[in-house]
Amino acid sequence: MVLNSVLRFLSVFTMAVVLSGQSAIADISRFVGEYYGRAEVETRAGDTANRDMSVVIKETGNGYAVLWTSTTEKEDGRRKTKSYEIEFQPTDRDGVYAAAMKRNVFGHTEQLDPMKGEPYVWSRITGDTLTVFSMFVAPNGDYEMQQYDRTLAEGGLQLDFNSHRNGIPTRFISTFLSRTSQY
């Protein structure tokens, strides 16, 4: 009788610990805000260029959205800006989110198709790190993986970006993004 009570307590206690850990893993509210930073990036030609980087993370009705912008200044003074915004929705896996990048004929969001040259994107929250992954499949079957790790740090986020083509590292960028506002 005592053994059954102890086993029941341990079972309930273990379940409570697991569930509390899972909710901490998937808590996007800690990341919500606007962040800005600058990084020195090596160009394909081997030179270095400054790149302004910003990210906005916001909660949506069924998940969250990440908007990131990167601006590179060319030697002649021109500026080239790239921006991406992706909404993420929860999956059946704790802390793993599917990208909701397009709507089907029924109005439901769905992933893009990497076999059509579109990126396949997903994200996860593990502890203090929000990671966005994207995979591209080239027409010849080569692939590129990109990974954006945004880790909570005092005053902002530590951003670590890396990309691999066919498993070979091609680029790594690391910088601190200061929190400029919080929603």
Side-chain angles (χ1 to χ4, degrees):
M1 184 80 139
V2 172
L3 181 59
N4 284 342
S5 295
V6 170
L7 289 175
R8 192 176 4 244
F9 170 78
L10 287 175
S11 176
V12 169
F13 177 76
T14 301
M15 185 60 88
V17 169
V18 167
L19 290 176
S20 68
Q22 288 173 347
S23 66
I25 289 171
D27 183 12
I28 190 63
S29 65
R30 299 176 303 136
F31 296 90
V32 169
E34 296 181 24
Y35 305 86
Y36 174 80
R38 180 169 258 221
E40 192 171 271
V41 178
E42 186 176 334
T43 66
R44 297 195 195 284
D47 302 325
T48 58
N50 286 325
R51 184 176 290 183
D52 293 331
M53 303 177 139
S54 65
V55 64
V56 175
I57 301 169
K58 57 187 176 183
E59 292 184 81
T60 62
N62 190 28
Y64 60 91
V66 179
L67 165 67
W68 67 97
T69 301
S70 141
T71 303
T72 305
E73 190 168 324
K74 304 291 184 179
E75 288 182 16
D76 62 6
R78 290 180 298 131
R79 296 174 59 84
K80 181 178 179 182
T81 300
K82 293 182 182 179
S83 292
Y84 305 91
E85 182 171 8
I86 301 176
E87 184 177 337
F88 294 96
Q89 298 177 341
T91 67
D92 292 338
R93 297 176 179 187
D94 290 321
V96 178
Y97 296 78
M101 296 177 68
K102 70 177 181 179
R103 297 206 177 271
N104 64 19
V105 294
F106 303 106
H108 301 289
T109 57
E110 58 184 33
Q111 290 272 21
L112 297 178
D113 185 349
M115 292 299 122
K116 293 180 179 176
E118 301 168 331
Y120 188 82
V121 181
W122 71 99
S123 68
R124 73 172 178 207
I125 299 172
T126 306
D128 288 338
T129 302
L130 166 62
T131 302
V132 174
F133 299 96
S134 61
M135 179 184 73
F136 302 87
V137 178
N140 69 350
D142 286 353
Y143 71 93
E144 180 178 344
M145 285 292 305
Q146 296 181 347
Q147 179 173 335
Y148 297 82
D149 289 322
R150 295 175 176 98
T151 303
L152 292 170
E154 187 170 333
L157 294 174
Q158 176 61 42
L159 169 66
D160 291 316
F161 166 81
N162 65 69
S163 65
H164 293 78
R165 182 175 297 277
N166 296 329
I168 299 170
T170 56
R171 179 167 287 204
F172 179 77
I173 300 170
S174 183
T175 193
F176 182 77
L177 304 176
S178 298
R179 184 184 292 264
T180 58
S181 73
Q182 188 170 355
Y183 297 110

